[in-house]
Amino acid sequence: MAEVLFFIAGIGAIAGAIGVVRVSNPFYSVLSLVFHLLSLAALFLLLRAQFVAAAQVVVYAGAVMVLYVFVVAYVGGDQMPMRPAGGPVLNVGAIVFATALFVELVIAFLGSSLQAIDTDGAQYDPAFGTPGQIGELLLTKFLLPFEVASFLLLIAAVGAVVLARRRGGIAAPQPAQPLDRPRPLGTGTMAEGVGILLPEGSGLKEDEPEKGGGW
Amino acid sequence: MSIAWYLVVSAMDFSIGAGGVLIRRNPLVILLCLELMLNAANLSLIAFSRMWGNGDGQIFAIVVMVVAACEVCIGLGVVVAMYRRRLPVDVDEMTELSG
């Protein structure tokens, strides 16, 4: 049973990953990544990591991917061509690089002298991977990384606000002044430059602007 | 299933993500490919955690998820800022820093 579930989830994960890279519309890339993340959560469950699997589904496939969908909808998921110009060399090079990386990683994993890598894993106590155990580890053995991670999240939130704000700050919009007020004639407005927009009843000609007057 | 199978899946995911970073031009999709690589690392961390029967690797995976969330936050902020300033959302045309 575990074998069947592993192959379903593993093939789903790899298919999702290939979909992220190959699909040309960024919106479908995000959806493919959601599929990939759900398959990975199934793999985590097979590895008895219940809490991480739940966090993966809720936080990753839920919250983070919604953020992606928002930004794709904002920026516009227009069809980006797969590197049309000057591409084939880098395209083939990237595939060769990825294959070489895969072979190297597999050699590094399977060629290592780890004895337990061919087993199903060590014996574990029934509490392995439960929220209770994760919480206990986070608050005792890994308290400092936990606090540092929360601080990192705070910094990232502030940084995102600073990056994506409107230039000129978040202050209240200024009362619409100088642009809406009628300007004195002869002060070099763009309308004068192209010779239009002289008021009807002002008696002005285009060649003799009134000094200091106004509409 | 032996742990080695999970590690092979993790390696394949990682290489697909690395290739995607090189192939794609849209910074949004490049961020997605970075997510792929981070998740491949997460899978191997959890596989090793299961291999030793020890929960420390899962804590490490959770920390990786936190870092990935921060990276998404900043990366999407950069993309939105690029779009606001009418810059092309294309990494090949963002060459001002290349000297």
Side-chain angles (χ1 to χ4, degrees):
Chain A
M1 187 61 189
E3 282 81 2
V4 177
L5 285 179
F6 169 79
F7 278 107
I8 291 176
I11 290 173
I14 290 173
I18 292 176
V20 170
V21 178
R22 292 304 301 181
V23 171
S24 63
N25 192 335
F27 188 71
Y28 293 126
S29 283
V30 175
L31 292 186
S32 181
L33 187 64
V34 171
F35 183 70
H36 170 81
L37 293 177
L38 292 179
S39 306
L40 270 190
L43 285 181
F44 290 171
L45 271 184
L46 284 176
L47 287 167
R48 304 287 190 278
Q50 313 155 24
F51 178 75
V52 182
Q56 173 101 352
V57 172
V58 174
V59 176
Y60 233 127
V64 174
M65 288 303 119
V66 166
L67 193 62
Y68 264 110
V69 169
F70 271 134
V71 172
V72 168
Y74 180 64
V75 173
D78 50 349
Q79 309 269 337
M80 293 294 289
M82 300 276 293
R83 192 176 291 280
V89 174
L90 189 56
N91 227 338
V92 174
I95 292 174
V96 169
F97 170 75
T99 311
L101 188 63
F102 172 66
V103 171
E104 183 186 1
L105 280 175
V106 168
I107 290 174
F109 278 144
L110 303 185
S112 65
S113 56
L114 290 170
Q115 302 289 327
I117 206 170
D118 283 329
T119 65
D120 280 358
Q123 294 291 322
Y124 56 93
D125 53 343
F128 177 70
T130 55
Q133 192 211 18
I134 299 288
E136 188 186 339
L137 279 175
L138 272 181
L139 290 181
T140 55
K141 191 174 174 185
F142 295 101
L143 183 60
L144 183 62
F146 180 63
E147 298 294 341
V148 171
S150 67
F151 199 60
L152 182 65
L153 278 173
L154 175 67
I155 294 174
V158 174
V161 170
V162 170
L163 273 175
R165 70 176 175 186
R166 291 182 194 284
R167 299 297 145 192
I170 324 174
Q174 308 224 336
Q177 43 176 349
L179 286 179
D180 291 341
R181 189 183 299 159
R183 301 179 53 159
L185 287 180
T187 51
T189 63
M190 195 174 286
E192 282 175 341
V194 295
I196 56 169
L197 210 80
L198 281 175
E200 290 288 331
S202 67
L204 287 172
K205 298 182 181 58
E206 287 186 6
D207 292 335
E208 41 181 30
E210 184 185 9
K211 299 288 188 293
W215 254 268
Chain B
M1 292 309 287
S2 68
I3 300 297
W5 284 95
Y6 293 95
L7 296 177
V8 168
V9 170
S10 153
M12 193 172 282
D13 272 349
F14 190 87
S15 3
I16 290 172
V21 169
L22 291 178
I23 288 179
R24 298 304 297 264
R25 307 165 57 186
N26 191 333
L28 278 169
V29 183
I30 288 180
L31 281 176
L32 288 177
C33 292
L34 288 180
E35 297 285 318
L36 280 183
M37 296 165 74
L38 287 168
N39 275 297
N42 259 352
L43 180 59
S44 64
L45 280 174
I46 288 186
F48 281 124
S49 158
R50 173 75 186 82
M51 186 173 106
W52 299 114
N54 189 344
D56 294 2
Q58 301 188 7
I59 303 292
F60 211 132
I62 289 175
V63 172
V64 168
M65 284 167 67
V66 169
V67 173
C70 294
E71 170 241 323
V72 165
C73 206
I74 298 298
L76 292 183
V78 169
V79 172
V80 169
M82 280 163 62
Y83 182 73
R84 277 252 176 86
R85 304 186 65 183
R86 301 285 184 270
L87 295 172
V89 186
D90 186 333
V91 290
D92 277 358
E93 302 190 20
M94 304 290 293
T95 54
E96 289 165 23
L97 289 181
S98 68

